[in-house]
Amino acid sequence: MALFCCIQAGADGLLYGADDGSLLISDVNLRCGRLLSDLSSVFGRGGIGTSECSLGATLTQFDENGFYADGQANVRWLNTNLFFRTTGSTD
């Protein structure tokens, strides 16, 4: 059995708006999640759990003709724990 849960939130903001209709918009977002799974083998039973957290940012330029270009950056942290009842716990 596996279980995954995640939450993501972000905020957009107008950095610049020109009279001709062109816009520069930025976004900052945060995502956190957790994955849990049961493991079973001839050597024992256990599980694995992974936590994830990421921080991202985007920058979008819209011009007066409807053309747009995006830039994105993201940093992600992962932490995984594997454990078995017969062999103890390792990180």
Side-chain angles (χ1 to χ4, degrees):
M1 182 182 89
L3 172 67
F4 178 72
C5 57
C6 178
I7 187 167
Q8 182 171 339
D12 296 336
L14 177 64
L15 294 179
Y16 177 76
D19 292 336
D20 65 1
S22 60
L23 302 172
L24 184 62
I25 298 173
S26 68
D27 169 78
V28 176
N29 55 72
L30 176 68
R31 173 186 166 126
C32 293
R34 179 97 170 126
L35 173 67
L36 301 171
S37 182
D38 296 329
L39 300 173
S40 180
S41 77
V42 295
F43 301 106
R45 296 177 57 84
I48 188 169
T50 300
S51 298
E52 174 245 344
C53 199
S54 66
L55 179 64
T58 64
L59 192 63
T60 305
Q61 168 71 46
F62 293 93
D63 75 7
E64 66 278 2
N65 297 321
F67 177 79
Y68 72 94
D70 286 326
Q72 301 179 13
N74 193 306
V75 177
R76 179 172 287 168
W77 296 270
L78 297 169
N79 182 28
T80 300
N81 293 305
L82 176 65
F83 55 92
F84 279 90
R85 292 188 190 135
T86 58
T87 61
S89 177
T90 61
D91 290 334

Coordinates of all heavy atoms in Angstrom, one line a residue:
M1 N 0.8 -1.2 0.0 CA 0.0 0.0 0.0 C 0.9 1.2 0.0 O 1.9 1.3 0.6 CB -0.9 0.0 1.2 CG -1.8 1.2 1.3 SD -2.8 1.3 2.7 CE -1.8 2.2 3.8
A2 N 0.5 2.3 -0.7 CA 1.2 3.5 -0.7 C 0.2 4.7 -0.5 O -0.9 4.6 -0.8 CB 1.9 3.7 -2.1
L3 N 0.7 5.7 0.2 CA -0.1 6.9 0.5 C 0.8 8.1 0.1 O 1.9 8.2 0.5 CB -0.4 6.9 2.0 CG -1.1 8.2 2.5 CD1 -2.5 8.3 1.9 CD2 -1.1 8.1 4.0
F4 N 0.2 9.0 -0.6 CA 0.8 10.2 -1.0 C -0.1 11.4 -0.7 O -1.2 11.4 -1.0 CB 1.2 10.3 -2.5 CG 1.8 11.5 -2.9 CD1 3.1 11.8 -2.6 CD2 1.1 12.5 -3.7 CE1 3.7 13.0 -3.0 CE2 1.8 13.6 -4.1 CZ 3.1 13.9 -3.7
C5 N 0.5 12.4 0.0 CA -0.3 13.6 0.2 C 0.6 14.8 0.0 O 1.9 14.8 0.1 CB -0.8 13.7 1.7 SG 0.4 13.6 2.9
C6 N 0.0 15.9 -0.5 CA 0.8 17.1 -0.9 C 0.0 18.3 -0.8 O -1.2 18.3 -1.0 CB 1.3 16.9 -2.4 SG 2.2 18.2 -3.0
I7 N 0.6 19.4 -0.5 CA -0.1 20.7 -0.5 C 0.9 21.7 -1.2 O 2.1 21.6 -1.1 CB -0.4 21.2 0.9 CG1 -1.2 22.4 0.9 CG2 0.9 21.4 1.8 CD1 -1.9 22.8 2.2
Q8 N 0.2 22.5 -2.0 CA 1.0 23.5 -2.8 C 0.2 24.9 -2.7 O -1.0 24.9 -2.8 CB 1.2 23.1 -4.2 CG 2.0 24.1 -5.0 CD 2.3 23.6 -6.4 OE1 2.3 22.4 -6.7 NE2 2.7 24.5 -7.3
A9 N 1.0 25.9 -2.5 CA 0.4 27.3 -2.4 C 1.3 28.3 -3.0 O 2.6 28.1 -3.1 CB 0.1 27.7 -0.9
G10 N 0.8 29.3 -3.6 CA 1.6 30.3 -4.2 C 0.9 31.7 -4.3 O -0.3 31.7 -4.0
A11 N 1.6 32.7 -4.7 CA 1.1 34.0 -4.8 C 1.6 34.7 -6.0 O 2.8 34.6 -6.3 CB 1.4 34.8 -3.5
D12 N 0.8 35.3 -6.8 CA 1.2 36.1 -8.0 C 1.2 37.6 -7.7 O 0.4 38.0 -6.8 CB 0.2 35.8 -9.1 CG 0.2 34.4 -9.6 OD1 1.2 33.7 -9.4 OD2 -0.8 34.0 -10.2
G13 N 2.0 38.3 -8.4 CA 2.0 39.7 -8.2 C 2.5 40.4 -9.5 O 3.3 40.0 -10.2
L14 N 1.8 41.6 -9.7 CA 2.2 42.4 -10.9 C 3.4 43.3 -10.5 O 3.4 44.1 -9.6 CB 1.0 43.3 -11.3 CG 1.2 44.3 -12.4 CD1 1.5 43.5 -13.7 CD2 0.1 45.2 -12.5
L15 N 4.5 43.1 -11.2 CA 5.7 43.8 -11.0 C 5.7 45.1 -11.8 O 6.2 46.2 -11.4 CB 7.0 43.0 -11.4 CG 7.3 41.8 -10.5 CD1 8.5 41.1 -11.0 CD2 7.4 42.2 -9.0
Y16 N 5.2 45.0 -13.1 CA 5.2 46.2 -13.9 C 4.1 46.1 -15.0 O 3.9 45.0 -15.5 CB 6.6 46.3 -14.7 CG 6.7 47.4 -15.7 CD1 6.8 48.7 -15.2 CD2 6.5 47.2 -17.0 CE1 6.9 49.8 -16.1 CE2 6.6 48.2 -17.9 CZ 6.8 49.5 -17.5 OH 6.9 50.5 -18.4
G17 N 3.4 47.2 -15.2 CA 2.4 47.3 -16.2 C 2.5 48.5 -17.0 O 2.5 49.6 -16.4
A18 N 2.7 48.4 -18.3 CA 3.0 49.6 -19.2 C 1.7 50.1 -19.8 O 0.7 49.3 -19.8 CB 4.0 49.2 -20.3
D19 N 1.7 51.3 -20.3 CA 0.5 51.8 -21.0 C 0.1 51.1 -22.2 O -1.1 51.1 -22.6 CB 0.7 53.3 -21.3 CG 0.8 54.2 -20.1 OD1 0.3 53.8 -19.0 OD2 1.5 55.2 -20.2
D20 N 1.0 50.4 -22.9 CA 0.7 49.7 -24.1 C 0.1 48.3 -23.8 O -0.2 47.5 -24.7 CB 1.9 49.5 -25.0 CG 3.0 48.7 -24.3 OD1 2.9 48.2 -23.2 OD2 4.1 48.5 -25.0
G21 N -0.1 47.9 -22.5 CA -0.7 46.6 -22.2 C 0.3 45.5 -21.8 O -0.1 44.4 -21.4
S22 N 1.6 45.8 -22.0 CA 2.6 44.7 -21.6 C 2.7 44.7 -20.1 O 2.5 45.7 -19.4 CB 3.9 45.0 -22.2 OG 4.4 46.3 -21.8
L23 N 2.9 43.4 -19.6 CA 2.9 43.2 -18.2 C 4.1 42.3 -17.8 O 4.6 41.5 -18.6 CB 1.6 42.4 -17.8 CG 0.3 43.0 -18.1 CD1 -0.8 42.0 -17.8 CD2 0.1 44.2 -17.2
L24 N 4.6 42.5 -16.6 CA 5.6 41.6 -16.0 C 5.0 41.1 -14.7 O 4.7 41.9 -13.8 CB 6.9 42.4 -15.8 CG 8.1 41.6 -15.3 CD1 8.5 40.5 -16.3 CD2 9.3 42.5 -15.0
I25 N 4.8 39.8 -14.6 CA 4.2 39.2 -13.4 C 5.1 38.2 -12.8 O 5.8 37.4 -13.5 CB 2.9 38.5 -13.8 CG1 1.9 39.5 -14.4 CG2 2.2 37.8 -12.7 CD1 0.7 39.0 -15.0
S26 N 5.2 38.2 -11.5 CA 6.0 37.2 -10.7 C 5.1 36.3 -9.9 O 4.0 36.6 -9.5 CB 7.1 37.9 -9.9 OG 6.4 38.6 -8.8
D27 N 5.7 35.1 -9.5 CA 5.0 34.2 -8.7 C 6.0 33.5 -7.8 O 7.2 33.3 -8.2 CB 4.3 33.1 -9.5 CG 3.8 31.9 -8.7 OD1 2.8 32.1 -8.1 OD2 4.5 30.9 -8.6
V28 N 5.6 33.3 -6.5 CA 6.4 32.5 -5.6 C 5.5 31.4 -5.1 O 4.3 31.6 -4.8 CB 6.9 33.4 -4.4 CG1 7.6 32.6 -3.3 CG2 7.7 34.5 -4.8
N29 N 6.1 30.2 -5.0 CA 5.3 29.0 -4.6 C 6.0 28.1 -3.7 O 7.3 28.0 -3.8 CB 4.7 28.3 -5.8 CG 5.8 27.9 -6.8 OD1 6.5 26.9 -6.5 ND2 5.9 28.5 -7.9
L30 N 5.3 27.4 -2.9 CA 5.8 26.4 -1.9 C 5.0 25.2 -2.0 O 3.8 25.2 -2.1 CB 5.7 27.0 -0.5 CG 6.2 26.1 0.7 CD1 7.7 25.9 0.6 CD2 5.8 26.7 2.0
R31 N 5.7 24.0 -2.0 CA 5.1 22.7 -2.1 C 5.7 21.8 -1.1 O 7.0 21.7 -1.0 CB 5.3 22.2 -3.5 CG 4.8 20.7 -3.7 CD 5.2 20.2 -5.0 NE 5.0 18.8 -5.1 CZ 4.3 18.2 -6.0 NH1 3.6 18.8 -6.9 NH2 4.2 16.9 -6.0
C32 N 4.9 21.1 -0.3 CA 5.4 20.1 0.6 C 4.5 18.9 0.5 O 3.3 18.9 0.3 CB 5.2 20.6 2.1 SG 6.4 22.0 2.4
G33 N 5.2 17.7 0.6 CA 4.5 16.4 0.4 C 5.1 15.3 1.2 O 6.3 15.4 1.7
R34 N 4.4 14.2 1.3 CA 4.9 13.0 2.0 C 4.4 11.8 1.3 O 3.2 11.7 0.9 CB 4.4 13.1 3.4 CG 4.8 11.9 4.3 CD 6.0 12.2 5.1 NE 6.2 11.2 6.1 CZ 7.3 10.5 6.2 NH1 8.4 10.9 5.5 NH2 7.5 9.6 7.1
L35 N 5.3 10.8 1.1 CA 5.0 9.5 0.5 C 5.3 8.4 1.5 O 6.4 8.4 2.0 CB 5.7 9.3 -0.8 CG 5.6 8.0 -1.5 CD1 4.1 7.8 -2.0 CD2 6.5 7.8 -2.6
L36 N 4.4 7.6 1.7 CA 4.6 6.4 2.6 C 4.2 5.1 1.9 O 3.2 5.1 1.2 CB 3.7 6.5 3.9 CG 3.9 7.7 4.8 CD1 2.9 7.8 5.8 CD2 5.3 7.7 5.4
S37 N 5.1 4.1 2.0 CA 4.8 2.8 1.3 C 5.2 1.7 2.2 O 6.3 1.7 2.8 CB 5.5 2.8 0.0 OG 5.2 1.6 -0.7
D38 N 4.4 0.6 2.2 CA 4.8 -0.6 2.9 C 5.7 -1.5 2.0 O 5.5 -1.5 0.8 CB 3.6 -1.4 3.3 CG 2.7 -0.7 4.2 OD1 3.2 0.0 5.1 OD2 1.4 -0.9 4.2
L39 N 6.7 -2.2 2.6 CA 7.6 -3.1 1.9 C 7.5 -4.4 2.5 O 7.4 -4.6 3.7 CB 9.0 -2.5 1.9 CG 9.3 -1.2 1.4 CD1 10.7 -0.8 1.6 CD2 9.0 -1.2 -0.1
S40 N 7.7 -5.5 1.7 CA 7.7 -6.8 2.2 C 8.6 -7.7 1.3 O 8.6 -7.5 0.1 CB 6.3 -7.4 2.2 OG 6.3 -8.7 2.6
S41 N 9.4 -8.5 2.0 CA 10.3 -9.4 1.3 C 10.6 -10.6 2.1 O 10.0 -10.7 3.2 CB 11.7 -8.7 1.0 OG 12.5 -8.7 2.2
V42 N 11.4 -11.6 1.6 CA 11.7 -12.8 2.4 C 12.5 -12.4 3.6 O 12.6 -13.2 4.6 CB 12.4 -13.8 1.5 CG1 11.5 -14.3 0.4 CG2 13.7 -13.3 1.0
F43 N 13.1 -11.3 3.7 CA 14.0 -10.9 4.8 C 13.2 -10.1 5.9 O 13.8 -9.9 6.9 CB 15.1 -10.0 4.3 CG 16.0 -10.7 3.3 CD1 15.9 -10.4 1.9 CD2 16.9 -11.7 3.6 CE1 16.7 -11.0 1.0 CE2 17.6 -12.3 2.7 CZ 17.5 -12.0 1.4
G44 N 12.0 -9.7 5.6 CA 11.2 -9.0 6.6 C 10.2 -8.0 6.0 O 10.0 -8.0 4.8
R45 N 9.6 -7.3 6.9 CA 8.6 -6.3 6.5 C 9.1 -4.9 7.0 O 9.8 -4.8 8.0 CB 7.3 -6.6 7.1 CG 6.7 -8.0 6.6 CD 5.4 -8.3 7.3 NE 4.4 -7.2 7.1 CZ 3.6 -7.1 6.0 NH1 3.7 -8.0 5.0 NH2 2.7 -6.2 5.9
G46 N 8.7 -3.9 6.3 CA 9.0 -2.6 6.7 C 8.3 -1.5 5.9 O 7.2 -1.8 5.4
G47 N 9.0 -0.5 5.6 CA 8.4 0.6 4.9 C 9.4 1.6 4.4 O 10.6 1.6 4.8
I48 N 9.0 2.5 3.6 CA 9.8 3.6 3.2 C 8.9 4.9 3.2 O 7.8 4.9 2.9 CB 10.4 3.4 1.8 CG1 11.4 4.4 1.4 CG2 9.3 3.3 0.7 CD1 12.2 4.1 0.1
G49 N 9.5 6.0 3.7 CA 8.8 7.3 3.7 C 9.7 8.4 3.2 O 10.9 8.4 3.5
T50 N 9.2 9.2 2.3 CA 9.9 10.3 1.7 C 9.1 11.6 2.0 O 7.9 11.7 1.7 CB 10.1 10.1 0.2 OG1 10.8 8.9 0.0 CG2 10.8 11.2 -0.4
S51 N 9.9 12.6 2.4 CA 9.3 13.9 2.6 C 9.9 14.8 1.5 O 11.1 14.7 1.2 CB 9.6 14.5 4.0 OG 9.0 13.7 5.0
E52 N 9.1 15.7 1.0 CA 9.6 16.6 0.0 C 9.1 18.0 0.3 O 8.0 18.2 0.7 CB 9.0 16.2 -1.4 CG 9.3 17.1 -2.5 CD 8.1 17.7 -3.1 OE1 7.0 17.3 -2.9 OE2 8.2 18.7 -3.9
C53 N 10.0 19.0 0.0 CA 9.6 20.4 0.2 C 10.3 21.2 -0.9 O 11.5 20.9 -1.2 CB 10.0 20.9 1.5 SG 9.1 22.4 2.0
S54 N 9.6 22.0 -1.6 CA 10.2 22.8 -2.7 C 9.8 24.3 -2.7 O 8.7 24.6 -2.2 CB 9.9 22.2 -4.1 OG 8.6 22.3 -4.4
L55 N 10.7 25.1 -3.1 CA 10.4 26.5 -3.2 C 10.7 27.0 -4.6 O 11.7 26.6 -5.2 CB 11.3 27.3 -2.2 CG 11.2 28.8 -2.2 CD1 9.8 29.2 -1.7 CD2 12.3 29.4 -1.3
G56 N 9.7 27.7 -5.2 CA 9.9 28.0 -6.6 C 9.5 29.5 -6.9 O 8.8 30.1 -6.1
A57 N 9.9 29.9 -8.0 CA 9.6 31.3 -8.5 C 9.4 31.3 -10.0 O 10.1 30.6 -10.7 CB 10.6 32.3 -8.1
T58 N 8.5 32.1 -10.5 CA 8.3 32.3 -11.9 C 8.3 33.8 -12.3 O 8.0 34.6 -11.4 CB 7.0 31.7 -12.4 OG1 5.9 32.3 -11.9 CG2 7.0 30.2 -12.1
L59 N 8.6 34.1 -13.5 CA 8.6 35.4 -14.0 C 8.0 35.3 -15.4 O 8.5 34.6 -16.2 CB 10.0 36.1 -14.1 CG 10.1 37.5 -14.3 CD1 9.4 38.3 -13.2 CD2 11.5 37.9 -14.4
T60 N 6.9 36.1 -15.7 CA 6.2 36.0 -17.0 C 6.1 37.4 -17.5 O 5.7 38.3 -16.9 CB 4.8 35.4 -16.8 OG1 4.9 34.1 -16.2 CG2 4.1 35.3 -18.2
Q61 N 6.5 37.5 -18.8 CA 6.4 38.8 -19.6 C 5.4 38.7 -20.6 O 5.4 37.8 -21.5 CB 7.8 39.1 -20.2 CG 7.7 40.2 -21.2 CD 7.5 41.6 -20.6 OE1 8.2 41.9 -19.6 NE2 6.6 42.4 -21.1
F62 N 4.3 39.5 -20.6 CA 3.3 39.5 -21.6 C 3.5 40.8 -22.4 O 3.7 41.9 -21.9 CB 1.9 39.6 -21.0 CG 1.5 38.4 -20.3 CD1 1.7 38.3 -18.9 CD2 0.8 37.3 -20.9 CE1 1.3 37.1 -18.2 CE2 0.4 36.2 -20.2 CZ 0.6 36.1 -18.9
D63 N 3.5 40.7 -23.8 CA 3.6 41.9 -24.6 C 2.2 42.3 -25.1 O 1.2 41.6 -24.8 CB 4.6 41.8 -25.7 CG 4.1 40.9 -26.9 OD1 2.9 40.5 -26.9 OD2 4.9 40.7 -27.8
E64 N 2.1 43.5 -25.8 CA 0.8 44.0 -26.2 C 0.2 43.2 -27.3 O -1.0 43.3 -27.5 CB 1.0 45.5 -26.7 CG 1.9 45.6 -27.9 CD 3.4 45.6 -27.7 OE1 3.8 45.4 -26.5 OE2 4.1 45.7 -28.6
N65 N 0.9 42.3 -27.9 CA 0.3 41.4 -29.0 C -0.2 40.1 -28.5 O -0.6 39.2 -29.3 CB 1.3 41.2 -30.1 CG 1.7 42.5 -30.8 OD1 0.8 43.3 -31.0 ND2 3.0 42.6 -31.1
G66 N -0.1 39.8 -27.2 CA -0.5 38.5 -26.6 C 0.6 37.5 -26.5 O 0.3 36.4 -25.9
F67 N 1.8 37.8 -27.0 CA 2.9 36.9 -26.8 C 3.4 36.9 -25.4 O 3.3 38.0 -24.7 CB 4.0 37.3 -27.7 CG 5.3 36.5 -27.6 CD1 5.3 35.2 -28.2 CD2 6.3 36.9 -26.8 CE1 6.5 34.4 -28.0 CE2 7.5 36.1 -26.7 CZ 7.5 34.9 -27.3
Y68 N 3.8 35.8 -24.8 CA 4.4 35.8 -23.5 C 5.5 34.8 -23.4 O 5.7 33.9 -24.2 CB 3.3 35.4 -22.5 CG 2.9 33.9 -22.5 CD1 3.5 33.0 -21.6 CD2 1.9 33.5 -23.3 CE1 3.1 31.7 -21.7 CE2 1.5 32.2 -23.3 CZ 2.1 31.3 -22.5 OH 1.7 30.0 -22.5
A69 N 6.4 35.1 -22.5 CA 7.6 34.2 -22.2 C 7.7 34.0 -20.7 O 7.4 34.9 -19.9 CB 8.8 34.9 -22.7
D70 N 8.0 32.8 -20.3 CA 8.1 32.4 -18.9 C 9.5 32.0 -18.5 O 10.3 31.5 -19.3 CB 7.2 31.2 -18.6 CG 5.8 31.4 -18.5 OD1 5.4 32.5 -18.1 OD2 5.0 30.6 -18.9
G71 N 9.9 32.3 -17.3 CA 11.1 31.8 -16.7 C 10.8 31.2 -15.4 O 9.9 31.7 -14.6
Q72 N 11.3 30.0 -15.1 CA 11.0 29.3 -13.8 C 12.3 28.8 -13.1 O 13.3 28.5 -13.8 CB 10.1 28.1 -14.1 CG 8.9 28.4 -14.8 CD 8.0 27.2 -15.1 OE1 8.3 26.1 -14.6 NE2 7.0 27.3 -15.9
A73 N 12.2 28.8 -11.8 CA 13.3 28.3 -11.0 C 12.7 27.5 -9.8 O 11.6 27.9 -9.3 CB 14.2 29.4 -10.5
N74 N 13.3 26.4 -9.4 CA 12.8 25.6 -8.4 C 13.9 24.9 -7.6 O 14.9 24.4 -8.2 CB 11.9 24.6 -9.0 CG 11.0 23.9 -7.9 OD1 11.5 23.3 -7.0 ND2 9.7 23.9 -8.2
V75 N 13.8 24.9 -6.3 CA 14.8 24.2 -5.4 C 14.0 23.2 -4.6 O 12.9 23.5 -4.1 CB 15.5 25.2 -4.5 CG1 16.4 24.4 -3.5 CG2 16.2 26.3 -5.2
R76 N 14.4 22.0 -4.6 CA 13.7 20.9 -3.9 C 14.6 20.2 -2.9 O 15.7 19.9 -3.2 CB 13.2 19.9 -5.0 CG 12.4 18.7 -4.4 CD 11.8 17.9 -5.5 NE 10.7 18.7 -6.0 CZ 10.1 18.4 -7.1 NH1 10.4 17.3 -7.8 NH2 9.0 19.1 -7.5
W77 N 14.0 19.9 -1.7 CA 14.7 19.1 -0.7 C 13.9 17.8 -0.5 O 12.7 17.8 -0.4 CB 14.7 19.9 0.6 CG 15.4 21.1 0.6 CD1 16.8 21.3 0.9 CD2 15.0 22.4 0.3 NE1 17.1 22.6 0.8 CE2 16.0 23.3 0.4 CE3 13.7 22.9 -0.1 CZ2 15.9 24.7 0.1 CZ3 13.6 24.3 -0.4 CH2 14.7 25.1 -0.3
L78 N 14.6 16.7 -0.5 CA 14.1 15.4 -0.3 C 14.7 14.7 0.9 O 15.9 14.8 1.1 CB 14.2 14.5 -1.5 CG 13.5 15.0 -2.8 CD1 14.0 14.2 -4.0 CD2 12.0 14.9 -2.6
N79 N 14.0 14.0 1.7 CA 14.5 13.2 2.8 C 13.8 11.9 2.8 O 12.5 11.8 2.8 CB 14.2 13.9 4.1 CG 14.8 13.2 5.3 OD1 15.8 12.4 5.2 ND2 14.2 13.4 6.5
T80 N 14.5 10.8 2.7 CA 14.0 9.4 2.6 C 14.4 8.6 3.8 O 15.6 8.6 4.1 CB 14.3 8.8 1.3 OG1 13.9 9.6 0.2 CG2 13.8 7.4 1.2
N81 N 13.5 7.8 4.4 CA 13.8 6.9 5.5 C 13.3 5.5 5.1 O 12.2 5.4 4.7 CB 13.2 7.3 6.8 CG 13.7 8.6 7.3 OD1 14.9 8.7 7.5 ND2 12.9 9.6 7.5
L82 N 14.2 4.5 5.2 CA 13.9 3.1 4.9 C 14.0 2.4 6.2 O 15.0 2.5 7.0 CB 14.9 2.6 3.9 CG 14.8 1.1 3.5 CD1 13.5 0.8 2.9 CD2 15.9 0.7 2.6
F83 N 13.0 1.6 6.6 CA 13.1 0.8 7.8 C 12.5 -0.6 7.6 O 11.6 -0.8 6.8 CB 12.3 1.5 8.9 CG 10.9 1.9 8.6 CD1 9.9 1.0 8.9 CD2 10.6 3.1 7.9 CE1 8.6 1.3 8.6 CE2 9.3 3.4 7.6 CZ 8.3 2.5 8.0
F84 N 13.1 -1.6 8.4 CA 12.6 -2.9 8.4 C 12.5 -3.4 9.8 O 13.4 -3.1 10.6 CB 13.6 -3.9 7.6 CG 13.4 -3.8 6.1 CD1 14.1 -2.9 5.3 CD2 12.5 -4.7 5.5 CE1 13.9 -2.9 4.0 CE2 12.3 -4.7 4.2 CZ 13.0 -3.8 3.4
R85 N 11.6 -4.2 10.1 CA 11.4 -4.8 11.5 C 12.5 -5.7 11.8 O 12.9 -5.8 13.0 CB 10.0 -5.4 11.6 CG 8.9 -4.4 11.5 CD 7.6 -5.1 11.8 NE 6.5 -4.1 11.5 CZ 5.4 -4.4 10.9 NH1 5.2 -5.7 10.5 NH2 4.5 -3.5 10.6
T86 N 13.0 -6.5 10.9 CA 14.0 -7.5 11.2 C 15.5 -7.0 11.2 O 16.3 -7.6 11.8 CB 13.9 -8.7 10.2 OG1 14.1 -8.1 8.9 CG2 12.6 -9.4 10.3
T87 N 15.7 -5.8 10.5 CA 17.1 -5.3 10.4 C 17.3 -4.0 11.2 O 18.4 -3.5 11.1 CB 17.5 -5.2 8.9 OG1 16.6 -4.2 8.4 CG2 17.5 -6.5 8.2
G88 N 16.3 -3.5 11.8 CA 16.5 -2.2 12.5 C 16.2 -1.1 11.6 O 15.4 -1.2 10.6
S89 N 16.7 0.1 11.9 CA 16.4 1.3 11.1 C 17.7 2.0 10.6 O 18.7 2.0 11.3 CB 15.7 2.3 12.0 OG 15.4 3.5 11.4
T90 N 17.6 2.4 9.3 CA 18.7 3.2 8.7 C 18.1 4.4 8.1 O 17.0 4.4 7.6 CB 19.4 2.3 7.6 OG1 18.5 2.0 6.6 CG2 20.1 1.1 8.2
D91 N 18.9 5.5 8.1 CA 18.5 6.7 7.5 C 19.4 7.0 6.3 O 20.5 6.8 6.3 CB 18.6 7.9 8.5 CG 17.5 7.8 9.6 OD1 16.5 7.2 9.3 OD2 17.8 8.3 10.6

